[in-house]
């Protein structure tokens, strides 16, 4: 093999290796950016407002700050004054959720609503002797 062939192969090998390093570096940059986005979504705080209307509601359970997306912290209000409204701070992928429950032989009508930045992101109604309706929404900061 002559010197020119060896030099050409060495240069070609160096270019291929350099391309792999640059390519892997680009993949690493994309992965780093994705990790930063996920971390932002997991840690970003947001506020939602829960609203319950109706009559004869026995209790309201709702997600509040604490816990995580699979096991949120839940607080309860027994025999709430209606209409009921509560603004809470949540974090990251934690889904906002509220559940009013009522039992009344005369019949029950109730509705729940979740708003984020003034926009309704979930709304439900229920009627009957025993009623439970729930509003659970996807976290508004989940990308």
């Amino acid at each position: 093999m002559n010197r020119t062939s060896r030099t050409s192969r060495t240069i070609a090998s160096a270019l291929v290796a350099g391309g792999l390093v640059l390519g892997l570096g680009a993949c690493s940059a994309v992965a780093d950016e994705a990790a930063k986005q996920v971390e932002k979504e997991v840690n970003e705080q947001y506020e939602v407002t829960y609203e319950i209307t109706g009559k004869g509601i026995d209790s309201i359970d709702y997600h509040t700050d604490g816990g995580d997306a699979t096991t949120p912290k839940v607080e309860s209000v027994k025999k709430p004054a209606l209409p009921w409204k509560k603004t809470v701070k949540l974090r990251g992928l934690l889904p906002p959720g509220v559940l009013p429950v009522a039992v009344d032989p005369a019949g029950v009508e109730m509705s729940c609503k979740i708003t984020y930045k003034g926009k309704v992101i979930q709304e439900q109604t229920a009627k009957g002797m025993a009623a439970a309706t729930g509003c659970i929404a996807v976290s508004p900061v989940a990308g």
Side-chain angles (χ1 to χ4, degrees):
M1 183 178 313
N2 66 30
R3 184 173 171 92
T4 305
S5 292
R6 271 188 267 163
T7 303
S8 295
R9 264 197 297 182
T10 303
I11 291 171
S13 296
L15 288 173
V16 168
L20 286 174
V21 168
L22 287 174
L24 291 175
C27 287
S28 177
V30 169
D32 287 347
E33 187 58 36
K36 286 178 187 175
Q37 183 63 32
V38 168
E39 186 175 333
K40 177 186 176 221
E41 289 177 6
V42 167
N43 293 314
E44 185 176 348
Q45 281 200 328
Y46 66 94
E47 282 189 352
V48 294
T49 300
Y50 302 131
E51 296 179 63
I52 306 296
T53 58
K55 62 178 184 169
I57 295 175
D58 297 312
S59 66
I60 300 170
D61 293 339
Y62 60 95
H63 294 173
T64 188
D65 196 18
D68 58 43
T70 58
T71 54
K73 181 179 176 186
V74 177
E75 291 190 7
S76 296
V77 177
K78 304 295 181 202
K79 299 288 182 190
L82 298 173
W84 179 84
K85 188 175 188 176
K86 176 87 174 178
T87 298
V88 297
K89 284 187 180 181
L90 299 171
R91 183 176 45 86
L93 303 178
L94 181 68
V98 61
L99 173 70
V101 177
V103 177
D104 187 339
V108 175
E109 282 189 43
M110 68 171 80
S111 67
C112 63
K113 182 175 11 178
I114 302 173
T115 57
Y116 171 70
K117 293 186 175 181
K119 180 182 174 192
V120 175
I121 59 174
Q122 184 60 265
E123 187 169 24
Q124 298 291 324
T125 60
K127 296 178 184 182
M129 253 177 51
T133 188
C135 288
I136 298 179
V138 173
S139 168
V141 299

mmCIF file of all heavy atoms in Angstrom, residues 53-89:
data_model
loop_
_atom_site.group_PDB
_atom_site.id
_atom_site.type_symbol
_atom_site.label_atom_id
_atom_site.label_comp_id
_atom_site.label_asym_id
_atom_site.label_seq_id
_atom_site.Cartn_x
_atom_site.Cartn_y
_atom_site.Cartn_z
ATOM 1 N N THR A 53 -71.340 24.227 42.347
ATOM 2 C CA THR A 53 -72.664 24.816 42.545
ATOM 3 C C THR A 53 -73.671 23.683 42.679
ATOM 4 O O THR A 53 -73.397 22.547 42.295
ATOM 5 C CB THR A 53 -73.062 25.723 41.362
ATOM 6 O OG1 THR A 53 -73.027 24.958 40.162
ATOM 7 C CG2 THR A 53 -72.136 26.921 41.242
ATOM 8 N N GLY A 54 -74.820 23.993 43.237
ATOM 9 C CA GLY A 54 -75.876 22.998 43.413
ATOM 10 C C GLY A 54 -76.540 23.177 44.756
ATOM 11 O O GLY A 54 -76.542 24.265 45.329
ATOM 12 N N LYS A 55 -77.089 22.062 45.269
ATOM 13 C CA LYS A 55 -77.710 22.124 46.591
ATOM 14 C C LYS A 55 -77.529 20.781 47.286
ATOM 15 O O LYS A 55 -77.395 19.739 46.636
ATOM 16 C CB LYS A 55 -79.190 22.460 46.474
ATOM 17 C CG LYS A 55 -79.989 21.428 45.706
ATOM 18 C CD LYS A 55 -81.452 21.780 45.652
ATOM 19 C CE LYS A 55 -82.183 20.619 44.943
ATOM 20 N NZ LYS A 55 -83.587 20.702 45.043
ATOM 21 N N GLY A 56 -77.476 20.827 48.601
ATOM 22 C CA GLY A 56 -77.412 19.614 49.399
ATOM 23 C C GLY A 56 -76.129 18.815 49.255
ATOM 24 O O GLY A 56 -76.119 17.604 49.453
ATOM 25 N N ILE A 57 -75.041 19.452 48.920
ATOM 26 C CA ILE A 57 -73.782 18.732 48.754
ATOM 27 C C ILE A 57 -73.215 18.386 50.126
ATOM 28 O O ILE A 57 -73.077 19.244 51.001
ATOM 29 C CB ILE A 57 -72.791 19.550 47.900
ATOM 30 C CG1 ILE A 57 -73.367 19.689 46.492
ATOM 31 C CG2 ILE A 57 -71.418 18.900 47.879
ATOM 32 C CD1 ILE A 57 -72.587 20.554 45.566
ATOM 33 N N ASP A 58 -72.925 17.099 50.304
ATOM 34 C CA ASP A 58 -72.425 16.605 51.589
ATOM 35 C C ASP A 58 -70.932 16.847 51.775
ATOM 36 O O ASP A 58 -70.483 17.148 52.876
ATOM 37 C CB ASP A 58 -72.710 15.100 51.728
ATOM 38 C CG ASP A 58 -74.198 14.811 51.733
ATOM 39 O OD1 ASP A 58 -74.925 15.485 52.479
ATOM 40 O OD2 ASP A 58 -74.613 13.920 50.972
ATOM 41 N N SER A 59 -70.161 16.683 50.717
ATOM 42 C CA SER A 59 -68.712 16.866 50.847
ATOM 43 C C SER A 59 -68.097 17.191 49.490
ATOM 44 O O SER A 59 -68.675 16.911 48.436
ATOM 45 C CB SER A 59 -68.052 15.606 51.405
ATOM 46 O OG SER A 59 -68.173 14.536 50.490
ATOM 47 N N ILE A 60 -66.918 17.774 49.565
ATOM 48 C CA ILE A 60 -66.125 18.064 48.368
ATOM 49 C C ILE A 60 -64.699 17.616 48.665
ATOM 50 O O ILE A 60 -64.115 18.020 49.671
ATOM 51 C CB ILE A 60 -66.117 19.573 48.031
ATOM 52 C CG1 ILE A 60 -67.540 20.072 47.771
ATOM 53 C CG2 ILE A 60 -65.212 19.852 46.834
ATOM 54 C CD1 ILE A 60 -67.659 21.582 47.668
ATOM 55 N N ASP A 61 -64.157 16.774 47.809
ATOM 56 C CA ASP A 61 -62.748 16.384 47.883
ATOM 57 C C ASP A 61 -62.038 17.045 46.708
ATOM 58 O O ASP A 61 -62.582 17.104 45.604
ATOM 59 C CB ASP A 61 -62.588 14.864 47.754
ATOM 60 C CG ASP A 61 -63.180 14.112 48.938
ATOM 61 O OD1 ASP A 61 -63.357 14.713 50.010
ATOM 62 O OD2 ASP A 61 -63.457 12.908 48.773
ATOM 63 N N TYR A 62 -60.815 17.530 46.944
ATOM 64 C CA TYR A 62 -60.093 18.202 45.862
ATOM 65 C C TYR A 62 -58.594 18.018 46.009
ATOM 66 O O TYR A 62 -58.073 17.858 47.107
ATOM 67 C CB TYR A 62 -60.459 19.690 45.791
ATOM 68 C CG TYR A 62 -60.145 20.463 47.048
ATOM 69 C CD1 TYR A 62 -58.942 21.165 47.163
ATOM 70 C CD2 TYR A 62 -61.038 20.513 48.115
ATOM 71 C CE1 TYR A 62 -58.650 21.882 48.319
ATOM 72 C CE2 TYR A 62 -60.753 21.230 49.253
ATOM 73 C CZ TYR A 62 -59.553 21.910 49.359
ATOM 74 O OH TYR A 62 -59.258 22.617 50.498
ATOM 75 N N HIS A 63 -57.904 18.022 44.861
ATOM 76 C CA HIS A 63 -56.444 17.938 44.840
ATOM 77 C C HIS A 63 -55.875 19.292 45.236
ATOM 78 O O HIS A 63 -56.360 20.337 44.811
ATOM 79 C CB HIS A 63 -55.927 17.590 43.448
ATOM 80 C CG HIS A 63 -56.316 16.228 42.982
ATOM 81 N ND1 HIS A 63 -56.076 15.791 41.713
ATOM 82 C CD2 HIS A 63 -56.920 15.191 43.612
ATOM 83 C CE1 HIS A 63 -56.506 14.556 41.572
ATOM 84 N NE2 HIS A 63 -57.046 14.171 42.706
ATOM 85 N N THR A 64 -54.828 19.220 46.040
ATOM 86 C CA THR A 64 -54.125 20.428 46.443
ATOM 87 C C THR A 64 -52.631 20.160 46.365
ATOM 88 O O THR A 64 -52.215 19.029 46.089
ATOM 89 C CB THR A 64 -54.579 20.878 47.848
ATOM 90 O OG1 THR A 64 -54.026 22.164 48.137
ATOM 91 C CG2 THR A 64 -54.184 19.888 48.920
ATOM 92 N N ASP A 65 -51.823 21.167 46.606
ATOM 93 C CA ASP A 65 -50.375 21.010 46.471
ATOM 94 C C ASP A 65 -49.862 19.949 47.431
ATOM 95 O O ASP A 65 -50.230 19.910 48.596
ATOM 96 C CB ASP A 65 -49.660 22.342 46.718
ATOM 97 C CG ASP A 65 -48.232 22.312 46.200
ATOM 98 O OD1 ASP A 65 -47.908 21.432 45.382
ATOM 99 O OD2 ASP A 65 -47.430 23.170 46.613
ATOM 100 N N GLY A 66 -49.030 19.094 46.932
ATOM 101 C CA GLY A 66 -48.459 18.003 47.709
ATOM 102 C C GLY A 66 -48.713 16.701 46.985
ATOM 103 O O GLY A 66 -49.529 16.620 46.076
ATOM 104 N N GLY A 67 -48.001 15.692 47.364
ATOM 105 C CA GLY A 67 -48.142 14.428 46.664
ATOM 106 C C GLY A 67 -47.517 14.520 45.288
ATOM 107 O O GLY A 67 -46.702 15.380 45.015
ATOM 108 N N ASP A 68 -47.915 13.596 44.410
ATOM 109 C CA ASP A 68 -47.401 13.619 43.044
ATOM 110 C C ASP A 68 -48.512 13.232 42.078
ATOM 111 O O ASP A 68 -49.650 13.023 42.494
ATOM 112 C CB ASP A 68 -46.169 12.713 42.890
ATOM 113 C CG ASP A 68 -46.454 11.271 43.270
ATOM 114 O OD1 ASP A 68 -47.515 10.737 42.896
ATOM 115 O OD2 ASP A 68 -45.602 10.655 43.933
ATOM 116 N N ALA A 69 -48.168 13.111 40.822
ATOM 117 C CA ALA A 69 -49.184 12.888 39.790
ATOM 118 C C ALA A 69 -49.954 11.590 39.986
ATOM 119 O O ALA A 69 -51.107 11.492 39.603
ATOM 120 C CB ALA A 69 -48.537 12.907 38.404
ATOM 121 N N THR A 70 -49.332 10.578 40.588
ATOM 122 C CA THR A 70 -50.032 9.307 40.776
ATOM 123 C C THR A 70 -50.723 9.207 42.130
ATOM 124 O O THR A 70 -51.654 8.423 42.285
ATOM 125 C CB THR A 70 -49.071 8.113 40.609
ATOM 126 O OG1 THR A 70 -47.999 8.231 41.547
ATOM 127 C CG2 THR A 70 -48.532 8.050 39.190
ATOM 128 N N THR A 71 -50.268 9.972 43.105
ATOM 129 C CA THR A 71 -50.905 9.982 44.427
ATOM 130 C C THR A 71 -51.007 11.418 44.940
ATOM 131 O O THR A 71 -50.231 11.840 45.791
ATOM 132 C CB THR A 71 -50.124 9.123 45.449
ATOM 133 O OG1 THR A 71 -48.757 9.549 45.468
ATOM 134 C CG2 THR A 71 -50.199 7.649 45.130
ATOM 135 N N PRO A 72 -51.950 12.189 44.396
ATOM 136 C CA PRO A 72 -52.069 13.593 44.807
ATOM 137 C C PRO A 72 -52.563 13.725 46.235
ATOM 138 O O PRO A 72 -53.243 12.839 46.765
ATOM 139 C CB PRO A 72 -53.089 14.153 43.820
ATOM 140 C CG PRO A 72 -53.849 12.983 43.337
ATOM 141 C CD PRO A 72 -52.926 11.806 43.401
ATOM 142 N N LYS A 73 -52.214 14.842 46.852
ATOM 143 C CA LYS A 73 -52.738 15.157 48.175
ATOM 144 C C LYS A 73 -54.187 15.596 47.990
ATOM 145 O O LYS A 73 -54.492 16.409 47.128
ATOM 146 C CB LYS A 73 -51.928 16.282 48.816
ATOM 147 C CG LYS A 73 -52.409 16.643 50.210
ATOM 148 C CD LYS A 73 -51.558 17.740 50.812
ATOM 149 C CE LYS A 73 -52.101 18.145 52.158
ATOM 150 N NZ LYS A 73 -51.367 19.300 52.694
ATOM 151 N N VAL A 74 -55.081 15.040 48.812
ATOM 152 C CA VAL A 74 -56.502 15.348 48.708
ATOM 153 C C VAL A 74 -56.969 15.967 50.016
ATOM 154 O O VAL A 74 -56.680 15.457 51.096
ATOM 155 C CB VAL A 74 -57.327 14.070 48.416
ATOM 156 C CG1 VAL A 74 -58.814 14.383 48.379
ATOM 157 C CG2 VAL A 74 -56.880 13.436 47.107
ATOM 158 N N GLU A 75 -57.672 17.095 49.909
ATOM 159 C CA GLU A 75 -58.299 17.719 51.077
ATOM 160 C C GLU A 75 -59.805 17.605 50.917
ATOM 161 O O GLU A 75 -60.315 17.474 49.800
ATOM 162 C CB GLU A 75 -57.861 19.175 51.211
ATOM 163 C CG GLU A 75 -56.392 19.295 51.590
ATOM 164 C CD GLU A 75 -55.977 20.706 51.972
ATOM 165 O OE1 GLU A 75 -56.838 21.605 52.090
ATOM 166 O OE2 GLU A 75 -54.762 20.912 52.126
ATOM 167 N N SER A 76 -60.519 17.672 52.051
ATOM 168 C CA SER A 76 -61.978 17.521 52.047
ATOM 169 C C SER A 76 -62.645 18.659 52.792
ATOM 170 O O SER A 76 -62.096 19.179 53.752
ATOM 171 C CB SER A 76 -62.377 16.207 52.716
ATOM 172 O OG SER A 76 -61.899 15.120 51.981
ATOM 173 N N VAL A 77 -63.835 18.992 52.313
ATOM 174 C CA VAL A 77 -64.694 19.958 52.987
ATOM 175 C C VAL A 77 -66.025 19.254 53.204
ATOM 176 O O VAL A 77 -66.612 18.719 52.261
ATOM 177 C CB VAL A 77 -64.909 21.226 52.122
ATOM 178 C CG1 VAL A 77 -65.868 22.184 52.791
ATOM 179 C CG2 VAL A 77 -63.596 21.897 51.806
ATOM 180 N N LYS A 78 -66.509 19.220 54.452
ATOM 181 C CA LYS A 78 -67.800 18.601 54.765
ATOM 182 C C LYS A 78 -68.867 19.688 54.868
ATOM 183 O O LYS A 78 -68.624 20.765 55.402
ATOM 184 C CB LYS A 78 -67.726 17.833 56.095
ATOM 185 C CG LYS A 78 -66.638 16.782 56.151
ATOM 186 C CD LYS A 78 -66.880 15.665 55.174
ATOM 187 C CE LYS A 78 -65.782 14.622 55.271
ATOM 188 N NZ LYS A 78 -65.644 13.820 54.105
ATOM 189 N N LYS A 79 -70.040 19.422 54.323
ATOM 190 C CA LYS A 79 -71.184 20.346 54.346
ATOM 191 C C LYS A 79 -70.772 21.769 53.947
ATOM 192 O O LYS A 79 -70.947 22.725 54.697
ATOM 193 C CB LYS A 79 -71.839 20.364 55.733
ATOM 194 C CG LYS A 79 -72.387 19.021 56.173
ATOM 195 C CD LYS A 79 -73.626 18.684 55.390
ATOM 196 C CE LYS A 79 -74.220 17.356 55.855
ATOM 197 N NZ LYS A 79 -75.262 16.873 55.013
ATOM 198 N N PRO A 80 -70.230 21.945 52.749
ATOM 199 C CA PRO A 80 -69.762 23.265 52.326
ATOM 200 C C PRO A 80 -70.912 24.229 52.049
ATOM 201 O O PRO A 80 -71.998 23.823 51.640
ATOM 202 C CB PRO A 80 -69.010 22.963 51.035
ATOM 203 C CG PRO A 80 -69.716 21.759 50.493
ATOM 204 C CD PRO A 80 -70.100 20.948 51.692
ATOM 205 N N ALA A 81 -70.653 25.493 52.309
ATOM 206 C CA ALA A 81 -71.597 26.546 51.901
ATOM 207 C C ALA A 81 -71.496 26.657 50.387
ATOM 208 O O ALA A 81 -70.403 26.616 49.815
ATOM 209 C CB ALA A 81 -71.231 27.866 52.571
ATOM 210 N N LEU A 82 -72.641 26.776 49.726
ATOM 211 C CA LEU A 82 -72.666 26.822 48.260
ATOM 212 C C LEU A 82 -73.127 28.174 47.751
ATOM 213 O O LEU A 82 -73.949 28.805 48.392
ATOM 214 C CB LEU A 82 -73.585 25.721 47.725
ATOM 215 C CG LEU A 82 -73.138 24.315 48.077
ATOM 216 C CD1 LEU A 82 -74.188 23.316 47.669
ATOM 217 C CD2 LEU A 82 -71.810 23.981 47.414
ATOM 218 N N PRO A 83 -72.663 28.651 46.637
ATOM 219 C CA PRO A 83 -71.645 28.046 45.795
ATOM 220 C C PRO A 83 -70.290 28.057 46.498
ATOM 221 O O PRO A 83 -69.994 28.945 47.296
ATOM 222 C CB PRO A 83 -71.631 28.910 44.548
ATOM 223 C CG PRO A 83 -72.127 30.249 44.998
ATOM 224 C CD PRO A 83 -73.083 29.961 46.134
ATOM 225 N N TRP A 84 -69.480 27.072 46.200
ATOM 226 C CA TRP A 84 -68.160 26.902 46.813
ATOM 227 C C TRP A 84 -67.102 27.175 45.759
ATOM 228 O O TRP A 84 -67.238 26.771 44.604
ATOM 229 C CB TRP A 84 -68.028 25.478 47.334
ATOM 230 C CG TRP A 84 -66.719 25.137 47.982
ATOM 231 C CD1 TRP A 84 -66.375 25.379 49.270
ATOM 232 C CD2 TRP A 84 -65.604 24.477 47.380
ATOM 233 N NE1 TRP A 84 -65.099 24.896 49.504
ATOM 234 C CE2 TRP A 84 -64.612 24.339 48.351
ATOM 235 C CE3 TRP A 84 -65.349 23.981 46.099
ATOM 236 C CZ2 TRP A 84 -63.385 23.738 48.114
ATOM 237 C CZ3 TRP A 84 -64.122 23.384 45.835
ATOM 238 C CH2 TRP A 84 -63.155 23.262 46.842
ATOM 239 N N LYS A 85 -66.041 27.865 46.171
ATOM 240 C CA LYS A 85 -64.970 28.218 45.241
ATOM 241 C C LYS A 85 -63.650 28.174 45.993
ATOM 242 O O LYS A 85 -63.563 28.670 47.117
ATOM 243 C CB LYS A 85 -65.227 29.622 44.680
ATOM 244 C CG LYS A 85 -64.313 30.044 43.567
ATOM 245 C CD LYS A 85 -64.784 31.411 43.041
ATOM 246 C CE LYS A 85 -64.056 31.805 41.808
ATOM 247 N NZ LYS A 85 -64.564 33.061 41.250
ATOM 248 N N LYS A 86 -62.645 27.581 45.369
ATOM 249 C CA LYS A 86 -61.331 27.471 46.019
ATOM 250 C C LYS A 86 -60.255 27.540 44.945
ATOM 251 O O LYS A 86 -60.299 26.814 43.954
ATOM 252 C CB LYS A 86 -61.246 26.137 46.768
ATOM 253 C CG LYS A 86 -59.937 25.827 47.415
ATOM 254 C CD LYS A 86 -59.889 26.409 48.792
ATOM 255 C CE LYS A 86 -58.620 25.964 49.503
ATOM 256 N NZ LYS A 86 -58.515 26.529 50.808
ATOM 257 N N THR A 87 -59.260 28.411 45.159
ATOM 258 C CA THR A 87 -58.106 28.483 44.275
ATOM 259 C C THR A 87 -56.945 27.793 44.971
ATOM 260 O O THR A 87 -56.675 28.062 46.143
ATOM 261 C CB THR A 87 -57.747 29.946 43.943
ATOM 262 O OG1 THR A 87 -58.861 30.538 43.255
ATOM 263 C CG2 THR A 87 -56.517 30.034 43.055
ATOM 264 N N VAL A 88 -56.290 26.886 44.238
ATOM 265 C CA VAL A 88 -55.175 26.135 44.810
ATOM 266 C C VAL A 88 -53.982 26.210 43.877
ATOM 267 O O VAL A 88 -54.120 26.404 42.672
ATOM 268 C CB VAL A 88 -55.545 24.649 45.056
ATOM 269 C CG1 VAL A 88 -56.669 24.524 46.062
ATOM 270 C CG2 VAL A 88 -55.880 23.931 43.770
ATOM 271 N N LYS A 89 -52.808 26.042 44.462
ATOM 272 C CA LYS A 89 -51.582 25.933 43.681
ATOM 273 C C LYS A 89 -51.254 24.454 43.566
ATOM 274 O O LYS A 89 -51.317 23.714 44.540
ATOM 275 C CB LYS A 89 -50.422 26.656 44.372
ATOM 276 C CG LYS A 89 -50.481 28.144 44.247
ATOM 277 C CD LYS A 89 -49.236 28.781 44.807
ATOM 278 C CE LYS A 89 -49.345 30.285 44.655
ATOM 279 N NZ LYS A 89 -48.158 30.972 45.151
#
